[in-house]
Amino acid sequence: GAGVSQSPSNKVTEKGKDVELRCDPISGHTALYWYRQRLGQGLEFLIYFQGNSAPDKSGLPSDRFSAERTGESVSTLTIQRTQQEDSAVYLCASSLKPGLAGGNTQYFGPGTRLTVL
Amino acid sequence: AQSVTQPDIHITVSEGASLELRCNYSYGATPYLFWYVQSPGQGLQLLLKYFSGDTLVQGIKGFEAEFKRSQSSFNLRKPSVHWSDAAEYFCAVVPVYNQGGKLIFGQGTELSVKP
């Protein structure tokens, strides 16, 4: 596709359930990033992938959060035993390569709005 | 502490008026600087970025930003605002030591445009 896509666009779940959020980056982009945007706040970095490896997971808020990437393409962010404070918009971005060499730019998807009841 | 600050949570301007959104950063070395816009239901779109060189940067949609090292600021401007500019604007940085390029965002400024 032309841009970064994410699914589902909206997810409502009950507290304690597990959820999976999917990101399809722009084809050929080797770097993939996950961010979280809680209501009224800026975006927080969660994790980034270079290829299928995650050199920086420093933003994952707890061990309930995990992510993987396969085929240097699609990525899945999994939240186990969801809590109400996990309610947020989860945004994915991809770039041709990591870092900023050559003016590298991150392109963002539309996000998944997660609501935990 | 290292941070990105957008002092204005919400700004309202009249259509056709000029606009300036403020952004200050606190890092030992000047980071790479960005402005993104988020329209309702849309993902973030890059407006402009500053890596080095000319301190006045031109972006898309008629926006520009000026880097001022002495003030640790990177304010976004537009000479004449259109109703379609109503959105949330985020200033972001990438610290120069960060190899992965993760963005660190300010809290955002919501722009409303009066007819």
Side-chain angles (χ1 to χ4, degrees):
Chain A
V4 178
S5 61
Q6 293 185 246
S7 60
S9 55
N10 279 284
K11 176 72 176 178
V12 180
T13 191
E14 294 179 348
K15 178 180 172 182
K17 301 282 190 183
D18 297 352
V19 295
E20 285 188 353
L21 312 180
R22 177 186 169 108
C23 172
D24 286 273
I26 294 172
S27 179
H29 280 196
T30 63
L32 186 148
Y33 304 79
W34 283 98
Y35 296 86
R36 177 172 73 173
Q37 184 178 22
R38 287 189 280 193
L39 188 64
Q41 300 188 25
L43 284 80
E44 309 167 77
F45 166 81
L46 298 177
I47 185 171
Y48 106 88
F49 289 89
Q50 180 176 344
N52 294 333
S53 301
D56 188 350
K57 309 178 184 181
S58 63
L60 293 178
S62 75
D63 59 8
R64 296 186 295 105
F65 288 71
S66 63
E68 66 174 10
R69 189 179 184 197
T70 57
E72 298 196 359
S73 180
V74 65
S75 176
T76 303
L77 177 69
T78 301
I79 309 173
Q80 296 178 308
R81 304 180 304 281
T82 52
Q83 304 294 312
Q84 288 182 333
E85 62 262 28
D86 300 334
S87 295
V89 176
Y90 290 82
L91 289 157
C92 174
S94 71
S95 64
L96 195 56
K97 51 194 171 184
L100 295 165
N104 201 29
T105 297
Q106 292 182 33
Y107 296 89
F108 282 79
T112 293
R113 181 175 298 278
L114 175 65
T115 303
V116 182
L117 301 177
Chain B
Q2 297 179 331
S3 65
V4 181
T5 303
Q6 293 179 248
D8 304 304
I9 296 173
H10 189 197
I11 284 182
T12 300
V13 299
S14 297
E15 191 168 15
S18 64
L19 171 69
E20 182 168 30
L21 302 182
R22 296 182 290 164
C23 174
N24 293 92
Y25 61 88
S26 175
Y27 285 83
T30 301
Y32 303 108
L33 299 160
F34 304 79
W35 276 99
Y36 281 85
V37 61
Q38 185 177 38
S39 300
Q42 305 285 316
L44 269 73
Q45 183 179 22
L46 179 67
L47 287 174
L48 46 77
K49 59 189 177 185
Y50 174 77
F51 286 8
S52 65
D54 192 345
T55 57
L56 186 62
V57 180
Q58 301 298 320
I60 62 171
K61 304 186 179 189
F63 285 92
E64 66 179 25
E66 185 172 13
F67 166 61
K68 292 186 177 179
R69 184 187 304 275
S70 62
Q71 297 178 19
S72 297
S73 69
F74 187 57
N75 293 347
L76 182 71
R77 302 195 295 240
K78 187 169 185 179
S80 177
V81 168
H82 188 262
W83 64 266
S84 61
D85 293 324
E88 185 137 27
Y89 292 80
F90 291 95
C91 179
V93 308
V94 174
V96 292
Y97 54 78
N98 184 273
Q99 296 301 307
K102 71 182 182 186
L103 289 159
I104 299 170
F105 287 86
Q107 296 292 84
T109 297
E110 185 178 354
L111 173 66
S112 298
V113 180
K114 292 190 300 186

